[in-house]
């Protein structure tokens, strides 16, 4: 099965070494199930601002966008299968999040 996978990651201590270890970083992934449009956001100071950014980028090409994945101080992934199934995952690193998303997608893309 071929899958399109998009993921968004937060590496506050790696990509943004000046950030405080105490700071929280939020992310979101949005998707339009009818048009296949998607949006991402990461490294936002609040979940609300991450959600808004993911929805704004999704709505650039879609009309029925919804946030399906939210994550904090970690990684999120979303996978879409060839038959329209989809799944998501969150984890501490992008590879684990991606694998969870693909596994979840495989179950719904029958």
């Amino acid at each position: 099965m071929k899958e399109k996978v998009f993921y968004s990651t937060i590496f506050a201590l790696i990509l943004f070494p000046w950030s405080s270890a105490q700071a929280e970083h939020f992310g979101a992934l949005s998707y339009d199930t009818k048009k296949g449009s998607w949006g991402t956001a990461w490294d936002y100071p609040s979940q609300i601002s991450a959600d808004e950014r993911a929805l704004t980028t999704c709505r650039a090409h879609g009309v029925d966008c919804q946030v399906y994945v939210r994550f904090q101080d970690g990684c999120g992934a979303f996978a879409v299968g060839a038959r329209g199934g989809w799944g998501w995952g969150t984890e501490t690193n992008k590879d684990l999040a991606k694998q969870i998303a693909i596994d979840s997608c495989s179950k719904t893309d029958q």
Side-chain angles (χ1 to χ4, degrees):
M1 163 180 33
K2 288 187 177 181
E3 293 153 337
K4 295 187 289 185
V5 177
F6 64 91
Y7 52 91
S8 181
T9 59
I10 297 175
F11 293 109
L13 299 177
I14 297 170
L15 294 178
F16 304 98
W18 58 86
S19 297
S20 166
Q22 301 295 323
E24 294 179 326
H25 302 272
F26 297 86
L29 300 170
S30 61
Y31 186 61
D32 180 333
T33 59
K34 295 176 184 165
K35 292 197 173 206
S37 178
W38 51 272
T40 63
W42 64 92
D43 199 31
Y44 277 77
S46 71
Q47 191 63 65
I48 291 171
S49 61
D51 289 358
E52 288 172 354
R53 175 62 180 168
L55 287 169
T56 298
T57 56
C58 180
R59 288 177 180 145
H61 301 285
V63 293
D64 193 29
C65 299
Q66 295 183 40
V67 173
Y68 287 99
V69 184
R70 291 180 173 97
F71 47 97
Q72 177 182 346
D73 298 329
C75 303
F78 194 90
V80 178
R83 294 178 196 86
W86 52 273
W88 58 270
T90 60
E91 206 24 275
T92 56
N93 72 61
K94 70 179 181 179
D95 293 329
L96 290 173
K98 181 179 170 181
Q99 190 58 54
I100 292 168
I102 291 170
D103 292 346
S104 177
C105 177
S106 297
K107 293 175 186 174
T108 63
D109 198 44
Q110 304 290 327

